Amino acid sequence: MTENQYQRANKMVLSTVLIVFGYIALTVLAAIGISKGQHAGKMIVEVITAVVVIMVSVIAYITKKKTRTCELILSICIAVGYVIIILLNSVAGVWTYGIPLIISVIVYLNKRLMYCANGVVIAANIVRLMRDFDSRNSDLLTSRILAILVMILIAIISINIADILIKYFTENVFQIQETSAKKNELIDETEKTFGEVGSTVDNLMSGIHIAEQSINKILESTSVIADNISHLSATGEEIAAASAEGIKVSDSTVESMKECKVILNNIYELANELKASVEE
């Protein structure tokens, strides 16, 4: 059990101790006043026992409420107080004080403690039966035997309840552990997924960086191409100007060739006329 669980369990048992032994102390004090001194010694011991049990239980809870030590002290106080009360008190129904005390210690989910507590209660009632045994008093004998049988029945039921609760508690712990393991697996898978996503993002950023560098290189190349185009444009203008000049020269050459042709034709015609004159 955890510290908080011990604190809640010890608080519940302490409440039962205060109620049961406080009631015992008050009823016995009232009985002392009514009895006019009869059995006053036993009654005073009962009151002192109840007060001591309450005081020790309260001190144990205040100082050790979050530990198993408080559980043991409370259990011992209950056992000792019950044995003293049941052996000193002659009231027929005093054995019933053990029922709430037995039920209260179930909260500790401790089967060994349940065996011990029920064993003490049953043993105390057996001792009481043996002490008050009187075959001639059938009513008293029946009452004592009935008390023992009821306490045995309560012991069986309380131990079975404690056993079932312990199993439930164990199963719940196991389920919590399984759920925790699944959560841890989910966390690991999530971390792995985020790691893969992070790696992908890193690769993407690297690709973007490479693309950025490529774009920068393309821009630089574009600038160079633009410069070259500008140079080519200037050179093209020069070529165009030279070509225009060449065309002009060609035109002049063609005109000169035409004039040469005319002169040659004239020379040819004169030569033919000269030949005709000689032949005549």
Side-chain angles (χ1 to χ4, degrees):
M1 296 175 67
T2 64
E3 290 184 350
N4 291 331
Q5 289 172 339
Y6 269 121
Q7 182 177 354
R8 290 192 294 268
N10 291 329
K11 183 178 180 180
M12 188 266 183
V13 175
L14 176 64
S15 301
T16 305
V17 170
L18 294 176
I19 293 171
V20 172
F21 285 94
Y23 176 78
I24 291 172
L26 293 175
T27 54
V28 173
L29 285 173
I32 291 174
I34 295 173
S35 63
K36 299 179 180 180
Q38 295 179 359
H39 306 291
K42 291 183 178 180
M43 292 181 180
I44 291 172
V45 173
E46 291 179 39
V47 173
I48 293 173
T49 300
V51 172
V52 170
V53 168
I54 291 173
M55 291 178 60
V56 173
S57 298
V58 170
I59 293 171
Y61 180 78
I62 293 173
T63 58
K64 302 288 184 180
K65 59 185 176 182
K66 293 184 178 181
T67 64
R68 189 169 182 267
T69 303
C70 184
E71 170 193 345
L72 297 176
I73 294 173
L74 291 176
S75 300
I76 292 171
C77 288
I78 289 172
V80 174
Y82 180 78
V83 170
I84 293 174
I85 297 297
I86 197 172
L87 293 179
L88 294 178
N89 199 313
S90 60
V91 178
V94 70
W95 61 272
T96 57
Y97 293 140
I99 298 175
L101 298 175
I102 290 296
I103 295 174
S104 65
V105 296
I106 294 176
V107 297
Y108 290 123
L109 300 179
N110 188 333
K111 286 183 68 175
R112 183 180 298 178
L113 177 62
M114 293 303 302
Y115 282 118
C116 293
N118 282 287
V120 169
V121 170
I122 293 171
N125 281 278
I126 291 174
V127 171
R128 189 176 186 230
L129 171 63
M130 295 174 63
R131 186 197 63 183
D132 299 336
F133 183 80
D134 185 0
S135 58
R136 293 173 297 179
N137 191 345
S138 60
D139 292 337
L140 180 63
L141 184 62
T142 302
S143 173
R144 299 289 188 267
I145 293 174
L146 180 62
I148 294 172
L149 293 176
V150 171
M151 294 311 301
I152 291 173
L153 180 62
I154 291 173
I156 294 172
I157 295 172
S158 62
I159 291 172
N160 287 332
I161 292 174
D163 185 52
I164 292 172
L165 292 176
I166 291 170
K167 289 180 179 178
Y168 285 161
F169 181 77
T170 304
E171 290 173 356
N172 290 334
V173 170
F174 181 71
Q175 291 178 354
I176 291 171
Q177 290 176 347
E178 285 187 342
T179 304
S180 177
K182 291 180 180 179
K183 288 182 179 178
N184 290 332
E185 290 179 0
L186 181 60
I187 290 171
D188 293 337
E189 291 178 358
T190 304
E191 289 179 351
K192 182 179 179 182
T193 302
F194 275 110
E196 294 175 353
V197 171
S199 177
T200 304
V201 171
D202 291 338
N203 293 332
L204 179 60
M205 293 301 295
S206 177
I208 292 172
H209 181 66
I210 293 172
E212 183 180 3
Q213 290 180 343
S214 300
I215 291 170
N216 289 331
K217 290 180 180 180
I218 291 170
L219 291 174
E220 291 177 358
S221 300
T222 303
S223 298
V224 173
I225 291 170
D227 293 339
N228 291 333
I229 290 173
S230 298
H231 290 302
L232 288 174
S233 176
T235 304
E237 291 177 356
E238 293 176 357
I239 292 171
S243 297
E245 186 68 24
I247 291 170
K248 290 180 179 180
V249 173
S250 297
D251 291 339
S252 300
T253 303
V254 170
E255 293 294 333
S256 299
M257 290 298 292
K258 287 180 178 180
E259 291 177 359
C260 289
K261 181 180 179 181
V262 171
I263 293 170
L264 290 174
N265 288 330
N266 293 329
I267 292 171
Y268 180 76
E269 290 177 358
L270 290 173
N272 287 329
E273 290 177 0
L274 181 59
K275 180 180 178 183
S277 299
V278 172
E279 289 177 352
E280 292 176 0

